[in-house]
Amino acid sequence: MTEDAPWLVVGLGNPGREYAGNRHNVGFMVADLLASRVGGKFGRHKRAVAEVAEGRLGFGGPKLVLAKPLTYMNLSGAPVVALAQFYKVPVEHVITVHDELDVPYGQIRVKRGGGEGGHNGLRSMSKSLSSKEYARVRFGIGRPPGRQDPADYVLSDFSSVERKELEFLVDRAADVTEAVVLEGVEWAQNKYHGS
């Protein structure tokens, strides 16, 4: 059953134009790129407060359900559970793409399970799924400079210096996500963590 089950890839972010360029919304950016790669178009889902796009990785490859929850970050779990139930996705086929303060900017890390590190979107997902055993593609945003509050930092836009690399890094995060689907978390770690 698990082999043929679709994959649910959740890009975490906040809805609304004012948040679009925020560090906290990098999950949405990666989901948008993955949708364009698989030829999917985002539309409002009838059973979950989320935008969803569907497609396959490659010809006859695994089915991807790409999701952008339309609740705010700290309520992301409910739409994720609704979609997992609707598409019959087991928790081991759930991947979330999110910003990560504990990873330096320019690095993408992947892991399965573990803590939430104070990330409200992950906390909501773990609680709603009753499991932490989903995969996480962690997009490093680094720590805020000086004494800036982390909450303000994640809700600010990428700097002009960071934006020079952003497109490349979003592309890389999409590659890592595809690698997790096709080859697994360990393979993706071996390939992408060294660079």
Side-chain angles (χ1 to χ4, degrees):
M1 135 70 187
T2 306
E3 283 302 302
D4 297 332
W7 287 80
L8 176 58
V9 178
V10 181
L12 289 180
N14 285 311
R17 192 171 288 142
E18 69 271 31
Y19 298 107
N22 288 180
R23 291 178 174 89
H24 225 19
N25 270 42
V26 75
F28 278 15
M29 297 173 198
V30 176
D32 285 337
L33 178 59
L34 284 165
S36 70
R37 286 185 180 185
V38 301
K41 275 216 177 311
F42 276 101
R44 189 69 190 259
H45 196 268
K46 58 183 181 279
R47 295 273 178 86
V49 185
E51 285 194 341
V52 171
E54 297 176 31
R56 288 198 176 272
L57 263 188
F59 183 72
K63 180 178 178 178
L64 286 191
V65 178
L66 303 162
K68 296 191 291 186
L70 295 176
T71 54
Y72 285 93
M73 181 73 80
N74 57 349
L75 301 172
S76 302
V80 172
V81 166
L83 291 169
Q85 290 171 346
F86 182 83
Y87 290 101
K88 299 179 173 49
V89 178
V91 75
E92 32 319 335
H93 274 216
V94 175
I95 302 171
T96 183
V97 184
H98 64 90
D99 59 305
E100 178 60 71
L101 286 162
D102 293 326
V103 174
Y105 185 73
Q107 293 183 17
I108 314 291
R109 294 283 177 263
V110 62
K111 70 176 186 174
R112 181 176 296 285
E116 289 90 15
H119 196 294
N120 291 330
L122 295 179
R123 192 176 293 142
S124 177
M125 278 185 62
S126 296
K127 187 175 176 198
S128 296
L129 289 166
S130 303
S131 173
K132 296 182 178 192
E133 291 308 304
Y134 51 91
R136 299 109 186 264
V137 174
R138 304 158 72 213
F139 190 107
I141 60 168
R143 286 266 159 205
R147 294 172 176 257
Q148 187 179 7
D149 180 5
D152 293 335
Y153 178 69
V154 299
L155 291 175
S156 62
D157 287 359
F158 287 100
S159 70
S160 56
V161 172
E162 289 171 331
R163 279 198 299 271
K164 290 188 173 113
E165 272 192 288
L166 185 59
E167 197 175 324
F168 165 77
L169 294 170
V170 167
D171 195 62
R172 188 178 181 88
D175 290 346
V176 172
T177 306
E178 289 183 0
V180 171
V181 170
L182 296 171
E183 307 289 350
V185 168
E186 277 184 46
W187 189 94
Q189 287 171 333
N190 291 336
K191 178 164 175 66
Y192 291 101
H193 282 202
S195 50

